[in-house]
Amino acid sequence: MSIDHAPETATAAASGSNATQRFTSDKQFAASTSPERVSTLARQVLSAVHDTIREHGVTYDEYNALKAWLINVGQDGEWPLFLDVWVEHVIEEVASESREGSKGTIEGPYYVPAAPELGHDAVLPTREGEQGTPLLFQGRVTDTSGQGLGGAVIEIWHADSDGFYSQFAPGIPEWNLRGTVTSDADGHFRIRTMRPAPYQIPTDGACGKLISAAGWHPWRPAHLHLKVAASGHQQITTQLYFPGDAHNDDDVADAVKPELILDPRDVDGGQEVTYDFVLDSTTSAQKA
Ligand code: DHB
Ligand code: FE
């Protein structure tokens, strides 16, 4: 199972603390939430907790186990992981309710901005002897009327054939399987990469403890992550999946949608797939 480049020492605490560090250094917070709204949201979340306790007769032992577990989520740096796996898909659902163009889904914890720029006919950086099935992923970025969008920026990142992400698992070159691709004048792009493997969220930290205590599983189906942006249009953050993956119907992060499953075909030396992205204009009805 393990091959020479597999990061033997990948741990939940290491990738969790990388994800926490990234989140706190890369993201800008601009929420201008009024005190009334904060109060409404906080009260409703707390009421849901109180109702759960009453309904199930939660004991002091269970309360203390929860307290210890919450402390561990922070100590393991796993808040980004916890939130992106069990909460983000509903945030995304609400955020994209009024969009007409391509479906999006969760970003997850492993996006890194400013990956190398690779033009419109791109080869993602790989290691010598990178394992897996070569994949040619190509398509076109258009607006909702089908007009090609030239100069659209397609950021792509994904796990390797062992399910590990560069910059979060040790021993992988910085920009491995990450790139920034720009569509040509007609909106077309081509990306050569290697098919990612199904991904297991780290099981040796607090999130893994919850999964095993609840009898759940830690798997996400294999996926490509993408952000697609063009000026005057709404950016989409999405993931694309492969048909036949056992976890497409059973994703721990609930982030699969039928529209996001690719239809690759076998070709000499690998697979090829076409997928087009449709972007809504920024002037189309947006939620306040
Ligand atoms: C997580 C990892 C992913 O690769 C992803 O797409 C979503 C969530 C996670 O470990 O939280
Ligand atoms: Fe992922």
Side-chain angles (χ1 to χ4, degrees):
M1 50 142 280
S2 152
I3 47 171
D4 56 353
H5 67 255
E8 302 294 346
T9 54
T11 60
S15 68
S17 78
N18 285 341
T20 300
Q21 224 171 346
R22 279 283 170 200
F23 182 77
T24 45
S25 64
D26 292 350
K27 299 272 174 173
Q28 307 284 321
F29 302 99
S32 52
T33 308
S34 69
E36 292 73 23
R37 185 167 160 86
V38 171
S39 175
T40 302
L41 300 181
R43 269 188 207 289
Q44 190 163 340
V45 169
L46 289 169
S47 299
V49 172
H50 303 158
D51 290 348
T52 306
I53 294 166
R54 290 193 187 100
E55 186 179 335
H56 297 278
V58 173
T59 66
Y60 256 102
D61 280 349
E62 288 168 335
Y63 171 68
N64 285 324
L66 170 68
K67 212 161 160 181
W69 181 80
L70 287 167
I71 292 167
N72 283 334
V73 176
Q75 283 172 344
D76 292 342
E78 285 195 339
W79 281 116
L81 192 142
F82 175 83
L83 290 163
D84 294 351
V85 168
W86 285 297
V87 179
E88 189 188 352
H89 68 279
V90 187
I91 298 286
E92 193 279 333
E93 175 191 311
V94 170
S96 64
E97 252 164 12
S98 63
R99 214 167 53 206
E100 275 180 59
S102 298
K103 292 286 179 202
T105 190
I106 68 170
E107 176 174 318
Y110 300 141
Y111 168 67
V112 182
E117 298 196 8
L118 307 169
H120 70 268
D121 194 358
V123 180
L124 292 195
T126 52
R127 290 158 286 190
E128 180 127 351
E130 188 78 44
Q131 301 294 302
T133 305
L135 176 71
L136 171 62
F137 172 67
Q138 60 191 349
R140 190 171 187 224
V141 184
T142 71
D143 65 16
T144 51
S145 73
Q147 183 81 22
L149 295 170
V153 176
I154 301 141
E155 294 175 274
I156 178 168
W157 71 103
H158 64 83
D160 66 13
S161 67
D162 287 329
F164 291 112
Y165 285 83
S166 59
Q167 302 193 39
F168 294 89
I172 305 178
E174 189 176 20
W175 295 106
N176 210 60
L177 301 173
R178 295 176 182 272
T180 304
V181 178
T182 308
S183 66
D184 70 11
D186 268 342
H188 288 103
F189 64 88
R190 282 158 69 91
I191 302 169
R192 286 174 198 285
T193 187
M194 305 295 273
R195 255 184 80 145
Y199 167 85
Q200 190 177 18
I201 73 162
T203 51
D204 58 320
C207 290
K209 276 212 185 88
L210 170 61
I211 286 170
S212 61
W216 300 342
H217 74 75
W219 291 96
R220 299 216 58 224
H223 54 279
L224 304 173
H225 287 271
L226 296 121
K227 282 180 184 280
V228 184
S231 83
H233 293 80
Q234 298 176 38
Q235 184 182 54
I236 59 175
T237 298
T238 194
Q239 299 185 27
L240 297 172
Y241 304 91
F242 298 87
D245 192 305
H247 299 290
N248 282 343
D249 297 323
D250 185 27
D251 173 11
V252 64
D254 253 315
V256 181
K257 302 178 185 182
E259 299 87 345
L260 303 178
I261 299 181
L262 293 166
D263 184 19
R265 55 199 167 94
D266 293 335
V267 293
D268 247 11
Q271 290 195 318
E272 217 175 87
V273 67
T274 301
Y275 190 90
D276 298 330
F277 296 101
V278 180
L279 303 189
D280 286 55
S281 83
T282 43
T283 51
S284 59
Q286 278 198 57
K287 290 173 55 125

